[in-house]
Amino acid sequence: MHVFNPDVKFDSQLISKYDKPTPRYTSYPPATELSTDFNHTEFHNAIALGNQNQTPLSLYFHVPFCESACYFCGCNVIITQKKELVVEPYLDYLYRNIEQVASLIDRDRKVVQLHWGGGTPNYLMPHQAETLWTEINRHFTFDENAEISLEINPRYVDRNYIFHLRNLGFNRISFGIQDFHPQVQEAVNRVQPEKMLFQVMEWIREAGFESVNVDLIYGLPFQNLQTFTDTVEKTLQLSPDRIAVFNFAYLPALKPVQKNISPDALPGAAEKLDILQMTIEKLTGNGYQFIGMDHFAKDNDELAIAQREQTLHRNFQGYTTKAGSSDLFGFGLTSISMLDSLYVQNHKGLKDYYRAIDQGNLPIAKGVVVSAEDRIRREVIMELMCHFTLDKTAIAQKYNLDFDKYFDREKYELELLEADGLVRLYPDEIEVTPTGRLLIRNIASIFDGRTRDKIIKKLSKSI
């Protein structure tokens, strides 16, 4: 039986060699497969199947508004300070969206996970947050052990707001630090003094939140190894339960807000690798387990425990202990619903979102049906992403197939990965090595049939 090994090993040459765009695999098929060529009846059928199976629920609510733009941001946000003009209309439509979907879902199905994301959920005034919370509870039944979380912007909260959120029922919270250095903060238009961040953490702990997650970003303007070492050390002083460390992708053509950042101020590729290596070594050397991708958790956190016990899952919100066997329903602008047999995404524009609801329709813009082959590949990819190992025999038995024959096309690429020391191939198992863990997306992509077929189709057209 596979014994979990938490080690992760940094190899700059291999990281550089495999530096190519790959999906984040928060789902399979990836979100890039969502298409407007989609029949809404499939969504109703998928909900009916969940009702029949009494599948647990996960809920996501998107609050898209921010008071100011963070120049590193890649999220779907609306920058406005006109709260009185935008929030109440949005909430009214959000309540109608909740009623639309909830009317299709069996009330006996329990919510095991809820998350408010953004944008900035604490853009809402305390009474608005309470009304939204009440409306959600009016339509859904919560499991007594439900994970109830939200993101906050630490610049726009005080002690009373933190305690208000805890009293409503939120038990997990996350906030973005990105970098402690004032020059970096000014360059990305997110100035939040060190004293403020430590004060917010103190309020969160005082309020009794069960878990706190913070975000860091490396690759931002004016960062270097020395300054980011200081950021990591201060983050360790905060002692959050989970830490996400994201690589800044400078894509001004796709994200116009990033044009405010001068490319000359960005650290070079070698410096970024040094920063990444330092971050991994400091976090894993101070009681944090490398979960995968960009995520770390304290050794005693349920995320780390779930990985060791091979019960970890992954969905559009990232790594989770709750949502693997649940149907995820997304509410609000751009939100994605992730059911067993299909994924759908709401409209990205306010006018389109409002128009659909006014016409009595679900505000779904696009979707993708999960095929029988997708299910097999999804399980393989998610097992590798979450547990760094794959039991080939279990897959073969569950789906009644010969694993090596079914994935014969992938054999050659797997052998190349093995030659580079990223995986170990056994008759009944694929094991990701400590070196391969930092390249888990590359390894998982070997089994991504949809992306491979697109590449083959593109190549055939060019011949």
Side-chain angles (χ1 to χ4, degrees), residues 160-197:
N160 289 338
Y161 199 106
I162 294 293
F163 273 76
H164 181 64
L165 293 172
R166 185 69 184 100
N167 291 334
L168 285 178
F170 288 94
N171 51 36
R172 294 177 177 272
I173 196 166
S174 66
F175 64 92
I177 295 174
Q178 323 314 349
D179 193 296
F180 275 98
H181 199 274
Q183 185 183 22
V184 177
Q185 292 184 0
E186 290 173 7
V188 298
N189 198 39
R190 188 176 173 115
V191 176
Q192 41 191 35
E194 177 182 330
K195 184 178 179 181
M196 171 200 291
L197 296 170

Side-chain angles (χ1 to χ4, degrees), residues 341-380:
S341 59
L342 86 164
Y343 314 141
V344 297
Q345 184 173 28
N346 289 345
H347 287 288
K348 291 186 176 182
L350 273 179
K351 289 183 179 179
D352 293 329
Y353 180 75
Y354 290 169
R355 184 184 303 112
I357 294 173
D358 281 336
Q359 293 173 349
N361 299 321
L362 291 168
I364 295 172
K366 51 189 178 180
V368 60
V369 174
V370 180
S371 69
E373 181 179 0
D374 288 334
R375 290 172 185 270
I376 298 169
R377 292 182 178 277
R378 175 173 66 187
E379 184 151 353
V380 169

Side-chain angles (χ1 to χ4, degrees), residues 443-454:
I443 296 167
S445 70
I446 299 298
F447 295 95
D448 182 348
R450 284 178 176 254
T451 300
R452 181 196 61 218
D453 290 345
K454 277 187 174 180

Side-chain angles (χ1 to χ4, degrees), residues 152 154 157 162 173 175 177 194-209 211-214 235 237-242 288:
I152 62 166
V157 291
I162 294 293
I173 196 166
F175 64 92
I177 295 174
E194 177 182 330
K195 184 178 179 181
M196 171 200 291
L197 296 170
F198 275 81
Q199 178 66 82
V200 169
M201 180 63 91
E202 184 178 318
W203 291 333
I204 290 170
R205 295 302 191 192
E206 184 186 354
F209 279 85
S211 180
V212 187
N213 176 91
V214 302
T235 303
Q237 291 175 34
L238 282 175
S239 191
D241 301 277
R242 301 174 186 178
Y288 288 86

